[in-house]
Amino acid sequence: MNYKLPTLVSAITVFLFSGSAFAQEAPKYDYTEAFKPFFYPHTGTETRSASGQPGHAYWQNSADYNLNVSLNDTKNEITGSAEITYTNNSPDMLSFLWLQLDQNLFAKDSRGNAVVPLSGSRNGAHGEDFDGGYKIKSVKLDGKDVKYTIIDTRMQIDLPKELKAKGGVAKIKIDYAFVSPEYGSDRMGVQQTKNGKVFTIAQWYPRMCVYDDILGWNTMPYLGASEFYLEYGDITANITVPSNHYVVASGQLLNEKEMYSKEENSRWEQARNSDKTVMIHPESEISKNQSSGTKTWKFKIEKTRDFAWASSPAFVLDAARINLPSGKKSLAISAYPAESGGEKAWGRSTEYTKAAIEHYSRKWYEYTYPAATNVAGNEGGMEYPGIVFCHMDSKGESLWGVTDHEFGHNWFPMIVGSNERLFAWMDEGFNTFINGLSTEAFNKGEYYKKQNVAQSGGFLMSDSFEPIMIGPDNMKERNIGILAYFKPGTGLEVLRESILGPEKFDKAFRTYIDRWAFKHPTPWDFFHTMENVSGEELNWFWRGWFLNKWKIDQSVKNVKYINGDFKNGAQITVENLGQLPMPTTVQVKFKDGTTQISKVPVEVWKRNTEWTFKINSNKEIDEVKLDPNGQIPDVNAKNNLWTSAQAVAVEKINPKDFTGTYGSKDIPIKLTFLEKNGQLFGQAKGQQEFPLEYTGDNKFTFEQAEITIVFSKDKKTINFTQGGREFKFTKE
């Protein structure tokens, strides 16, 4: 689904440039909490390996559908029958079955209607007064009437005898009807145009709930905001509509020769062999088809979780070939009313569709359906297998963005079938992430604008947002765009660009898609896979970015020249202030304009809250900056920069003047001071030597052990302080 992401990003930019509107004080960093073990709630099982792949005994049930449906375009009514072949591959006997009745969202007494606030919502029917919801005419099991109970958007069928485990089959037939809402929760609807209505039809037949190894039956009600979790199978659909309508749908049209004229069929053949868009049914021919009666369009799609379709007498149709990496071909199709046409609008829809499908197929996993159809309706943007609905008024960059986004969903969740009802970020967030890469690749970056991720930190990690991991029904509706789309998408970008690197990330991400194609992964399967394939421990990242609302705040604490002289190099101290640690990139810019980059790995923060390292240089420093490429969303950018104006002057010294061995009457310890590479080191007899930082007035510190050493002017004595206790030593 689309939350108008370009607009969202623009809104974020407005907030960011309003000063410190979202600058926040991060809580004190606790490294034991960030990196504590036992992140995963359970070890590997027979169904799900600890490596992140399906286990040796993984199973999932399947649902095949034979759908027959008729459209009454005057009443906006759908009348149909669904024949369902449900196979129980689980090890459990089933005494009842659960189905989803999502059209019941539009019944006046639905729970979804009850949670719409007075201020309105994008969910529901926008206050339309009509008789919505399913009218169930009959339910049969193996040809006989069966007891069933409807509870809001769910139906439970009681079985006369238990369905056998590991292969038991139930054959269900449901006869039903419903009136389509004009605005169906931004997922389906009816749009009036100058040449007739455009019907975009989805959630239009009873669908099996998923029975899995995680929750058993997944029966959360459909409230509008959260999307779907569906079983895979094969679907045939016979769709009867007025004869002057053209129908496009998920899958392959089986009776194309009968549905189109001889000339139109010839154009389809041209399109199958053309990389450029071929007009199938132009605007000039819309009024020619005035035949009466009805036609039945027959479609089939295999290995699918759902089926959607659109029908209208107003459609302009065009198409072009899609080239897939294996050498196979698919077909990009666009269906839109005349009002949406033109090269600045839907005239480029097929070009956009073809580019998106080809990019994702090369980059991640090959597209699996015979066609990819983009339909102009009244939805902001909504996805289904092989077909998407985008708004008829979209054009230019907006049309590219929504087309690319909705077809990206054919990878998440159409191919990788995660539970959208619970984990919207696993389809919307993943898709938002891959959209960024495809937009950069499209037409040499025609619509690409590089985002400064660093500037989004204060906004993304605002205390007003819930954690990503909760479901969309459990978060404020205004926050869904951030928490399901933008923040998880940004998190994957950070993981790719700043933590793993593109090569390791891409290999792991492709492995995840390949392992879980047409299966049901959980967040833990994704986390396990990314760690096992990349070879990196990432629990600190999952814990902070997805499960909690941890903030990132790193700073340059101090910059000091060694022994007060820049020719000896410098010591730089960086701090991790926020609870979410990150690998740290430090750029040193010298006064001659040259730069030097240092990398601090995340492992430094496993047992430190700050870290000091040496820059080997004989140049004077102008500034020290964290994250110079703007890749880390930090809540406080102000402390990421140190400039020479902040430098505290320290007199130059020769560390050799402070060398020697000192003893004490109070404690039986001898301290030896020695010079190495221009720096003074201390060492207690039999112990490891430690570096000393000069702070002026003959004083040196070793902050890690809370040690302060002050030499007398004649260097004959020192005052040694540690942990509040002071001792006097004399030079031997």
Side-chain angles (χ1 to χ4, degrees), residues 354-416:
K354 171 182 166 67
I357 298 294
E358 289 180 348
H359 169 81
Y360 296 129
S361 295
R362 290 191 304 269
K363 183 72 177 171
W364 306 117
Y365 189 96
E366 184 164 295
Y367 186 70
T368 57
Y369 300 122
T373 303
N374 197 8
V375 182
N378 63 7
E379 299 81 9
M382 187 60 201
E383 70 279 359
Y384 302 98
I387 190 170
V388 303
F389 305 154
C390 299
H391 203 279
M392 62 178 288
D393 293 340
S394 294
K395 57 185 64 176
E397 180 180 357
S398 174
L399 181 58
W400 158 259
V402 67
T403 300
D404 182 48
H405 180 79
E406 303 312 335
F407 278 117
H409 276 303
N410 263 278
W411 281 261
F412 309 103
M414 306 310 162
I415 291 174
V416 182

Side-chain angles (χ1 to χ4, degrees), residues 560-569 650-653 694:
K560 293 180 180 179
Y561 295 123
I562 294 174
N563 304 325
D565 189 349
F566 66 81
K567 293 179 181 178
N568 296 325
V650 177
E651 73 271 20
K652 297 178 183 179
I653 62 165
Y694 186 60

